[in-house]
């Protein structure tokens, strides 16, 4: 896949960056090489490859899901400005 000088200039305008003529030529070559590499990667046969969540097959050690604090709902609702049936009442913000 190739990228044209016009494409680079358009992206530069959209990104609000200034690119002079010398940089455009270098970018045209570099981006062309990157797009060629992407094409090569896209052509690789990955049908027999199982998807992975992590490239190193790392296992995340998680702590046990245990309750560590007591229920303080009544104490928090006692200091709230307004509650009703265990719910906090807040002013209406959308009419």
């Amino acid at each position: 896949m190739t990228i044209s000088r016009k494409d680079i200039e358009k992206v530069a305008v959209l990104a609000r960056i200034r690119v002079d003529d010398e940089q455009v030529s270098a970018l045209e070559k570099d981006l062309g090489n990157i797009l060629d590499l992407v094409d090569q990667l896209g052509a690789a046969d990955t049908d027999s490859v199982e998807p992975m969540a992590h490239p190193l097959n790392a296992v995340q050690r998680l702590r046990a899901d245990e309750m560590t604090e007591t229920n303080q709902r009544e104490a928090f609702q006692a200091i709230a400005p307004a509650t009703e049936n265990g719910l906090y009442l807040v002013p209406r913000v959308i009419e």
Side-chain angles (χ1 to χ4, degrees):
M1 180 177 210
T2 60
I3 187 163
S4 69
R5 179 179 211 84
K6 185 177 177 180
D7 292 333
I8 293 172
E9 291 169 350
K10 182 178 179 181
V11 170
V13 169
L14 292 173
R16 298 180 190 266
I17 56 176
R18 182 178 40 227
V19 181
D20 60 28
D21 290 337
E22 184 178 304
Q23 291 173 320
V24 169
S25 299
L27 282 171
E28 191 174 3
K29 179 184 174 200
D30 292 344
L31 291 175
N33 290 340
I34 292 169
L35 292 174
D36 288 341
L37 179 61
V38 170
D39 285 342
Q40 288 177 9
L41 290 173
D45 180 22
T46 58
D47 291 337
S48 61
V49 177
E50 183 178 336
M52 299 184 300
H54 193 279
L56 301 178
N57 285 331
V59 176
Q60 186 174 6
R61 294 179 295 178
L62 301 175
R63 64 175 170 77
D65 191 12
E66 298 173 355
M67 186 171 67
T68 59
E69 296 185 19
T70 59
N71 183 358
Q72 298 178 11
R73 180 179 182 179
E74 296 297 325
F76 291 138
Q77 289 198 345
I79 60 173
T83 61
E84 183 179 301
N85 296 328
L87 304 174
Y88 294 96
L89 302 178
V90 296
R92 181 182 293 233
V93 293
I94 300 175
E95 295 187 29

